[in-house]
Amino acid sequence: MTATFLDLTTVRNIGIMAHIDAGKTTTAERILYFTGVSHRIGEVHDGNTALDWTDQERKRGITITSAATTCHWRGHTINLIDTPGHVDFTIEVERCLRVLDGAVAVFDGVAGVEPQSETVWRQADRYGVPRVCFVNKLDRAGADLGRCVDMIAGRLGAVPLVLQLPIGAESGFTGVVDLVEERALVWTDGGEPDVRPVPPGLAAEARQGRARLVETLAEHDEAIMQLYVDGAEPPAERLHEAIRRLTVASAATPVLCGSAYKNKGVQPLLDAIARYLPSPLDAGGPRAASDREPLSALAFKIMTDRHLGRLTFVRIYSGRLETGAPVLNSVKNGKERIGKIYRVHANSREEIASAGAGDIVAVMGLKQTTTGETLCDPAHPVVLESMDFPSPVIEVAIEPRSKGDQEKLAAAIQRLAEEDPSFQVHADPETGQTVIGGMGELHLEVLTARMKDDHGVDANVGRPRVAYRETIRRAASKVEVTYRKQNGGKGQFAKVQISIEPIEEHYEFVNEVTGGRVPRHFVPSVDAGCQEAMRTGPLAGHEMTGVRVTLLDGDHHPVDSSELAFKIAGSLAFKEAVRRGSPALLEPVMAVEVTTPAEHMGAVIGDLNARRGRVEDTRPQGGAEVVRALVPLAEMFGYVGHLRGATSGRAVYTMQFDSYAEVPPGVAAQAT
């Protein structure tokens, strides 16, 4: 076990992100092969990939959990995380993007920008993660680089820098023209490319492509603009420098192309990762990325290893993490001690003595720390920006099959909830059943399968049900409640006056009390009482959302007032205000995208309308038609079977959460 010190200018912490089936894991497997980490190429369809290693991933042929590994390419260290492409596991993408410095966005060359492509792109925007695009599957019928680039610009709002043109099309795709270096790269055996002159038939198109690239760079980069104005032809090295500047600033995005499955285009992609994506030194933060600075690190993922127990994945931003060292969890203000530290390659671990700035490692021994919390030097506390986790949109009741499974079920749910912040659990107040919530049917299906596979729990799972929410339609002002209880001795007294109003966000509390009528140390108790009341809405007991509470006035007693009294008064005032605020039931609405043969489009649209859907648009795509609609989740259970039957199995669909909307009166009566 030796300490390793990295030259941070050569470190790349990157993720690979995409819509499901765009070829993300296939691309990652080729990266491992060409960097020498793997000596054979794993295939998703064969269930033998290095990065999709869990039983559920290999059984289903999709990425479910993010997998980390490290590889080396031309003097650079690449810490790579392969993220899921299915929307049900979007939390995995969210927490990985929070700690990564750059990303590779993979697009299907036939389908282009798909729904989950948009979702992960917006997540990367939110965390300011620079990207390189890889348009994959150019060997497929209907693949079209130009159309994909137009979609990247139009649907994602990006400024694409097209660095390559394909040589050949579909099954005749053999290589790419490098517009920066003005050369052709041709793959004849799937290994290293042959470097050749640009084919004569592509020379004019290549000149035009390079001119467009230089013009785009000149519009956004002063150095290239000066050369452009002077009429000078920029040398390749100056173009590389400008592309990197714009990429790191997220002002533009390089676009490369290839076919990962056919081993074409992967080496230039690795060159682009090393050349254009940022190092930890470019990322910025509260402390400089240096081993000499005090420790600051973010815990971004918890997992349970069958042999090692609880592991916490940590991104180190500054300082060093040493085995056995005390650290401070600055979010909980609690001391932790570092156990063993591991460098991770998917499901294998390499124990190391310490890790420094820029490292992504797994740590044993942390007992209190959960996802999104900061670890730092106890003498130099700091709190890093955390992350937001989505609320569940679907729930199922779950119960153990035997008494022996009862305790195991509780332990399994606790471990799974620690690992996955989008998985939540509560007890149904009416039936007493345990209810688990998640991001979709597949999400909950995988979690219940893991309970059996990983934790040996047999459980009965109920039918999926919608996770409704409640809100208010209008404001209610100056709602006053006095809570008074006297039963001998010290009593309880609190008086509060609040107003509430609907807002877009989940909950907000504003204190406008002046003159000390509600002492400052009792104000958080009013807030806590309101938040407690939010958990159970007046219509059907669903959690409330979209409410701002303003504490206007109140009164206290010098002896009888207490935190409990103000908490109860706050809860009672909130409930009364909600009753006056015209409460409403909300349901999750899903963004649904159906790809169907043209002859079935009418049937698909009619069926979506019958499900209370609202068709947003339709467009042709690769010989098929794509229908995009917003449909209530309650109407989408079992849709996959119905769609297959209606289109002879020729249509496919994707679905992801879009927003909450008020339930129509007739439907609300049934839901409550």
Side-chain angles (χ1 to χ4, degrees):
M1 296 188 299
T2 57
T4 55
F5 296 84
L6 297 173
D7 174 5
L8 291 185
T9 61
T10 65
V11 174
R12 301 291 180 268
N13 289 317
I14 68 158
I16 299 191
M17 62 186 200
H19 185 91
I20 191 169
D21 288 336
K24 172 179 47 58
T25 298
T26 301
T27 303
E29 290 292 323
R30 268 55 180 183
I31 287 175
L32 298 188
Y33 177 74
F34 287 115
T35 56
V37 173
S38 300
H39 300 295
R40 61 167 179 79
I41 297 176
E43 303 292 3
V44 173
H45 54 267
D46 291 335
N48 61 359
T49 59
L51 295 172
D52 284 353
W53 58 271
T54 70
D55 294 340
Q56 286 295 312
E57 288 174 319
R58 291 188 168 171
K59 194 180 295 180
R60 297 170 188 274
I62 61 171
T63 303
I64 293 171
T65 61
S66 51
T69 189
T70 300
C71 56
H72 301 276
W73 180 254
R74 297 183 180 169
H76 289 76
T77 298
I78 301 173
N79 295 318
L80 181 148
I81 297 182
D82 179 29
T83 65
H86 196 287
V87 64
D88 282 17
F89 309 104
T90 191
I91 183 63
E92 286 287 319
V93 186
E94 181 89 15
R95 58 185 173 187
C96 291
L97 286 174
R98 168 61 187 85
V99 299
L100 293 172
D101 302 323
V104 175
V106 179
F107 298 93
D108 183 320
V110 179
V113 176
E114 299 175 271
Q116 185 66 0
S117 310
E118 293 188 56
T119 300
V120 297
W121 194 272
R122 304 300 175 217
Q123 288 173 308
D125 281 343
R126 185 158 58 248
Y127 292 114
V129 178
R131 278 139 277 177
V132 166
C133 295
F134 181 63
V135 178
N136 192 26
K137 300 189 178 183
L138 287 192
D139 59 314
R140 298 281 184 91
D144 186 336
L145 174 64
R147 186 171 59 82
C148 289
V149 170
D150 290 343
M151 294 176 78
I152 290 169
R155 292 179 66 170
L156 302 180
V159 177
L161 301 172
V162 180
L163 306 187
Q164 297 174 343
L165 297 177
I167 300 174
E170 300 180 352
S171 60
F173 172 70
T174 58
V176 298
V177 174
D178 180 340
L179 297 178
V180 178
E181 302 283 352
E182 297 181 284
R183 61 184 184 171
L185 302 174
V186 178
W187 285 265
T188 54
D189 60 359
E192 289 296 317
D194 295 332
V195 180
R196 302 176 183 177
V198 176
L202 286 172
E205 188 180 347
R207 281 195 298 273
Q208 292 171 359
R210 193 175 200 270
R212 280 195 300 271
L213 173 63
V214 172
E215 285 177 16
T216 306
L217 289 171
E219 289 172 7
H220 296 85
D221 186 86
E222 289 185 12
I224 301 299
M225 170 60 84
Q226 191 59 53
L227 290 173
Y228 188 76
V229 169
D230 294 342
E233 183 65 25
E237 198 51 46
R238 297 289 295 274
L239 292 181
H240 286 312
E241 291 169 359
I243 293 166
R244 185 174 198 276
R245 282 194 294 272
L246 294 180
T247 304
V248 170
S250 295
T253 307
V255 179
L256 299 94
C257 60
S259 168
Y261 181 58
K262 296 293 178 64
N263 302 333
K264 297 172 182 176
V266 178
Q267 296 95 332
L269 175 62
L270 280 162
D271 288 338
I273 290 168
R275 195 172 257 149
Y276 306 134
L277 289 179
S279 75
L281 296 173
D282 298 307
R287 288 176 179 158
S290 167
D291 288 3
R292 297 181 181 85
E293 290 285 316
L295 174 69
S296 62
L298 190 76
F300 68 95
K301 178 179 168 74
I302 310 292
M303 70 168 284
T304 303
D305 185 277
R306 290 179 182 175
H307 307 293
L308 301 177
R310 190 177 192 264
L311 289 176
T312 305
F313 283 74
V314 171
R315 161 69 195 266
I316 304 170
Y317 288 92
S318 64
R320 290 197 70 79
L321 201 63
E322 309 276 352
T323 299
V327 295
L328 174 70
N329 179 326
S330 55
V331 175
K332 291 178 175 168
N333 197 28
K335 295 285 181 67
E336 294 266 39
R337 187 168 293 276
I338 301 298
K340 293 179 178 179
I341 303 172
Y342 296 95
R343 199 172 299 287
V344 178
H345 173 59
N347 60 335
S348 63
R349 321 266 183 263
E350 173 199 350
E351 188 176 343
I352 56 178
S354 66
D359 270 327
I360 294 176
V361 294
V363 175
M364 272 181 69
L366 301 180
K367 295 180 172 57
Q368 307 174 52
T369 303
T370 57
T371 301
E373 294 179 348
T374 302
L375 298 173
C376 59
D377 184 335
H380 301 88
V382 66
V383 177
L384 301 175
E385 179 192 359
S386 185
M387 56 196 93
D388 296 322
F389 303 120
S391 299
V393 297
I394 187 171
E395 297 176 335
V396 295
I398 187 168
E399 57 186 28
R401 286 189 181 166
S402 67
K403 283 191 174 179
D405 286 314
Q406 193 147 4
E407 286 186 14
K408 287 197 291 184
L409 176 64
I413 286 175
Q414 181 183 350
R415 287 199 191 106
L416 290 172
E418 280 182 352
E419 294 180 20
D420 184 349
S422 64
F423 169 58
Q424 296 183 12
V425 59
H426 68 270
D428 187 311
E430 294 180 6
T431 65
Q433 289 177 303
T434 298
V435 176
I436 58 174
M439 301 311 297
E441 289 181 88
L442 179 61
H443 186 205
L444 293 182
E445 191 181 311
V446 167
L447 286 167
T448 51
R450 284 191 58 202
M451 287 180 196
K452 183 174 177 60
D453 295 346
D454 299 350
H455 303 285
V457 178
D458 274 324
N460 296 317
V461 180
R463 288 172 56 83
R465 60 193 196 191
V466 176
Y468 290 100
R469 294 285 182 269
E470 297 182 29
T471 191
I472 53 172
R473 296 187 184 95
R474 61 172 183 253
S477 59
K478 295 187 177 179
V479 178
E480 190 170 287
V481 166
T482 300
Y483 175 70
R484 183 184 286 107
K485 189 173 182 182
Q486 200 72 43
N487 53 2
K490 184 182 175 183
Q492 297 281 0
F493 176 85
K495 181 178 178 181
V496 298
Q497 184 188 87
I498 66 169
S499 292
I500 63 170
E501 59 187 305
I503 57 171
E504 291 292 324
E505 298 301 318
H506 172 64
Y507 171 80
E508 189 178 316
F509 183 85
V510 180
N511 176 26
E512 291 188 355
V513 174
T514 58
R517 292 178 60 79
V518 176
R520 184 175 299 174
H521 59 282
F522 289 143
V523 171
S525 300
V526 180
D527 184 7
C530 293
Q531 290 195 53
E532 188 175 279
M534 286 269 291
R535 293 178 195 150
T536 309
L539 297 177
H542 298 292
E543 184 179 341
M544 296 197 67
T545 189
V547 182
R548 177 188 288 125
V549 178
T550 303
L551 179 59
L552 302 170
D553 201 0
D555 202 1
H556 71 288
H557 187 278
V559 176
D560 291 348
S561 288
S562 67
E563 292 181 359
L564 176 62
F566 274 98
K567 182 178 179 181
I568 293 172
S571 176
L572 293 173
F574 182 86
K575 289 175 180 177
E576 174 59 25
V578 167
R579 189 182 64 77
R580 300 183 196 177
S582 184
L585 189 68
L586 301 176
E587 64 182 342
V589 175
M590 313 303 284
V592 178
E593 186 167 293
V594 184
T595 304
T596 178
E599 61 264 35
H600 297 296
M601 188 166 76
V604 167
I605 290 175
D607 181 61
L608 291 173
N609 288 333
R611 294 172 184 270
R612 297 193 284 124
R614 187 176 78 247
V615 174
E616 299 280 280
D617 68 70
T618 62
R619 68 175 191 277
Q621 177 178 292
E625 295 289 333
V626 176
V627 180
R628 303 179 82 189
L630 296 176
V631 190
L633 174 61
E635 306 292 341
M636 291 300 292
F637 293 134
Y639 181 63
V640 62
H642 181 87
L643 182 66
R644 285 173 184 159
T647 62
S648 303
R650 297 174 65 196
V652 294
Y653 84 103
T654 60
M655 179 173 76
Q656 62 184 17
F657 173 73
D658 181 80
S659 57
Y660 275 96
E662 187 173 338
V663 180
V667 180
Q670 298 172 15
T672 54

